[in-house]
Amino acid sequence: MERDPKIRKKTRFKKIIIWLLIDLAVAAVVFVLLIHRPGSYDPVDFDSLNHDEGQVSPYLTHELSPNLYNNSQRGEPFDLVITQSGINEIVAGLGWPKYSEGVMLYAPAVLFVPGSVVLMGTANIKGVEVIITIELQPKIDEQRLLNLNVVKVKIGAVNITPLARMISKKMYTERLASMPVDTEALQTKIVGSLLNEEPFEPVFRVEDNKVRIEKITINQEKLTAHLVPAS
């Protein structure tokens, strides 16, 4: 016996409503996860630092740079300690917001946790604010090359690491193909490591001397780089 067409129509309509409600619920959950604000996110308010506009970070000029310069002149191995509060002071003074591909980036924060450096910031995408989190685990391999190792990328509470890696590799390849790039510049090597997992020789010049990063140790709120003279 065939069912009444009206009954079939009502049943079909109910199924459609149920699926629509499920889709809306899933979309709502995803949206909530995307706009989630991690509890560890605590960006520095640059205005609260009482720095004049355009002033370079006192931590950089009075502590970090003098320690690096003075120790490098001795021609002996030394440890350079970077504090979480100090690096956040430096980053906060770099001039925000910044714009990239129609996205406004601002309110950066850096966390040092055992074994990792966590970079966080707010991105405004067409009026919607989301928190982007990037976790790095810098490693120096047996060939003494440094790789910054991006191990996790999140928007809110959503892990987008595979997608981020695919997009970053594409961006890196297109950038190299579209314009002349000094592949020997330290900045280029850092970008290559971040976007394309390319290890590089961690050697840089301090005035007339060269130093090599031989080891990186990351503890809670502190990063220690062990530096040695380089030829």
Side-chain angles (χ1 to χ4, degrees):
M1 182 176 179
E2 292 187 6
R3 297 177 63 186
D4 190 313
K6 291 183 179 180
I7 295 176
R8 291 203 307 268
K9 187 174 181 181
K10 287 182 179 179
T11 302
R12 190 181 306 116
F13 180 74
K14 287 180 180 179
K15 288 182 178 180
I16 293 173
I17 293 298
I18 290 172
W19 282 112
L20 284 174
L21 290 174
I22 292 174
D23 288 345
L24 287 172
V26 170
V29 170
V30 170
F31 181 74
V32 169
L33 291 173
L34 287 172
I35 64 172
H36 170 73
R37 182 185 178 94
S40 57
Y41 179 51
D42 185 23
V44 173
D45 180 4
F46 186 74
D47 293 334
S48 69
L49 298 176
N50 297 318
H51 295 170
D52 295 330
E53 186 174 352
Q55 178 184 356
V56 179
S57 160
Y59 175 76
L60 176 63
T61 56
H62 300 328
E63 186 170 343
L64 193 60
S65 291
N67 285 342
L68 176 60
Y69 176 80
N70 293 334
N71 282 296
S72 66
Q73 301 306 302
R74 296 189 176 98
E76 298 176 354
F78 65 96
D79 287 341
L80 183 69
V81 177
I82 303 174
T83 65
Q84 180 174 295
S85 59
I87 195 66
N88 275 286
E89 180 186 291
I90 294 171
V91 171
L94 293 179
W96 302 90
K98 297 184 182 296
Y99 299 86
S100 176
E101 304 295 330
V103 177
M104 183 170 68
L105 304 170
Y106 53 97
V110 181
L111 281 71
F112 292 149
V113 298
S116 300
V117 177
V118 181
L119 311 176
M120 308 179 78
T122 300
N124 188 303
I125 307 171
K126 295 184 177 181
V128 178
E129 289 188 346
V130 295
I131 311 301
I132 296 177
T133 303
I134 302 173
E135 182 179 347
L136 314 176
Q137 290 183 352
K139 301 291 183 183
I140 294 178
D141 62 23
E142 295 178 354
Q143 285 74 44
R144 303 173 74 191
L145 299 179
L146 171 62
N147 197 330
L148 297 176
N149 291 318
V150 178
V151 297
K152 187 180 296 182
V153 181
K154 295 169 64 178
I155 296 180
V158 180
N159 190 331
I160 62 163
T161 307
L163 176 62
R165 282 180 176 154
M166 182 179 67
I167 293 174
S168 65
K169 288 177 183 293
K170 183 174 182 294
M171 289 174 54
Y172 180 72
T173 301
E174 290 177 349
R175 180 63 60 89
L176 288 180
S178 64
M179 62 180 63
V181 175
D182 181 2
T183 56
E184 294 304 312
L186 181 60
Q187 298 93 321
T188 304
K189 293 177 180 179
I190 291 173
V191 170
S193 184
L194 288 170
L195 299 185
N196 206 38
E197 301 177 307
E198 296 178 356
F200 62 97
E201 195 171 25
V203 174
F204 58 95
R205 183 177 294 276
V206 182
E207 295 292 339
D208 297 328
N209 300 291
K210 287 184 178 180
V211 293
R212 170 188 290 274
I213 303 175
E214 192 172 70
K215 183 179 179 181
I216 295 175
T217 305
I218 308 170
N219 296 311
Q220 195 69 32
E221 299 190 5
K222 183 176 70 174
L223 181 150
T224 303
H226 183 68
L227 301 163
V228 297
S231 56

